[in-house]
Amino acid sequence: MTRLPWYRHLLRWLRIAYLALLVAAVPVLVVVRRQEVADVLGALANAGHLLVVAAFATGFVLIALSAYFWLVSLRLLDQRPRLYDLTVTAARSLPARYVPLMVTFAISRVALMRRRGVPGGALALTATLEMAVSFAVSVALGLVLLGGAGGLPGGPAIPVVAAVGVVFAASPSVAGRVVAAVARRRGLDSLAPVSGFTWPGYLHMIVASGCYWICAAAVFCLYMRAFEAADGFELARLAGAFMLTWGGLRFLSVIAPQGIGVVELTIPSLLGAADPLALGILIFGFRLVLLLRDLAAAGISELLETRRMTVEAGPVRRSDGTDP
């Protein structure tokens, strides 16, 4: 059995300790800030339930948009999977997001698509590109929206320049050459195709990722608009804070799975909320909406996959002269 490096053991135990601390802190907050918690529960009871349902329903579109990014990347790598297969695979892999590791969702998608005949090297490269491009696009859009809404110092000019810099840093001219050089030096054949990416292909991935994050921000704003506590914030600021934290800081929070706790603290700070705890609890409620969506999508996709396998297997015929 291959032993994990010491730093991976350290990260695993840090994640476990972080989750244990987070779980222990919840009842303490409930006791110490019981009045605020009661107010939030009252807000949940009086929420605009149609908006919450709309956020839940629209969340399913995000699964198809994530699959579309994989379709774009894999076609640039001369692979021709179907969007339907990629979407079902993404939905089946959603429960893996709740395992306390950073890449379990991507690993699950790679494993399932390999069973459909797609080479593992192209899938691994696509998963890596999705994380890199998603980080660049979400940070760039978040900076532009927050800067334009006056949520960042320096006005809109500095965030726009920073956004362009982030996107360029992840481009074939910069990140592509770095990855290709590392691949050549270390003999990583699976990363070699990244040297073939061009600006048109990269821009196509930028558009695909941008559509995903714009839709994700719309789902988040739909959910937040269901509560009076979020009425005082402009849509641009809400969307910008969401993209910058959920898409940017979430990838940087190595210890916190999916940025849990980090996002709930950072978004109220970026928005300048008068009651950060109440707003943080509402944001945590958005995770619960996504959890329900993930469970529903995973269940439906498993049924579709079972039906596909049954159809492909076909009826079992009894042969003459053999066992009954």
Side-chain angles (χ1 to χ4, degrees), residues 111-132:
L112 291 175
M113 286 306 299
R114 284 191 67 181
R115 297 177 186 175
R116 294 179 182 267
V118 183
L123 292 168
L125 182 55
T126 293
T128 304
L129 286 169
E130 183 185 38
M131 288 187 284

Side-chain angles (χ1 to χ4, degrees), residues 60 63 88 91-92 94 292-302:
F60 287 89
I63 303 172
V88 171
R92 293 180 67 196
L94 286 172
L292 293 176
R293 179 211 65 175
D294 292 348
L295 293 175
I300 294 171
S301 63
E302 288 294 341

Side-chain angles (χ1 to χ4, degrees), residues 43-44 46-53 220-231:
L44 290 172
N46 298 321
H49 296 101
L50 286 178
L51 291 176
V52 175
V53 172
F220 177 74
C221 290
L222 272 175
Y223 168 82
M224 294 300 290
R225 278 291 183 257
F227 307 97
E228 294 182 359
D231 288 345

Side-chain angles (χ1 to χ4, degrees), residues 120-146:
L123 292 168
L125 182 55
T126 293
T128 304
L129 286 169
E130 183 185 38
M131 288 187 284
V133 175
S134 182
F135 173 80
V137 170
S138 60
V139 170
L141 288 175
L143 287 171
V144 170
L145 288 173
L146 268 180

Side-chain angles (χ1 to χ4, degrees), residues 108-229:
S108 177
R109 296 172 76 176
V110 169
L112 291 175
M113 286 306 299
R114 284 191 67 181
R115 297 177 186 175
R116 294 179 182 267
V118 183
L123 292 168
L125 182 55
T126 293
T128 304
L129 286 169
E130 183 185 38
M131 288 187 284
V133 175
S134 182
F135 173 80
V137 170
S138 60
V139 170
L141 288 175
L143 287 171
V144 170
L145 288 173
L146 268 180
L152 293 175
I158 294 178
V160 168
V161 172
V164 173
V166 169
V167 172
F168 184 75
S171 69
S173 302
V174 181
R177 291 182 179 179
V178 172
V179 173
V182 173
R184 286 193 300 269
R185 175 177 293 184
R186 301 198 174 185
L188 301 174
D189 296 335
S190 62
L191 294 180
V194 77
S195 60
F197 275 99
T198 60
W199 271 97
Y202 177 62
L203 292 177
H204 196 172
M205 288 190 287
I206 289 285
V207 171
S209 185
C211 291
Y212 174 88
W213 282 108
I214 290 172
C215 185
V219 173
F220 177 74
C221 290
L222 272 175
Y223 168 82
M224 294 300 290
R225 278 291 183 257
F227 307 97
E228 294 182 359

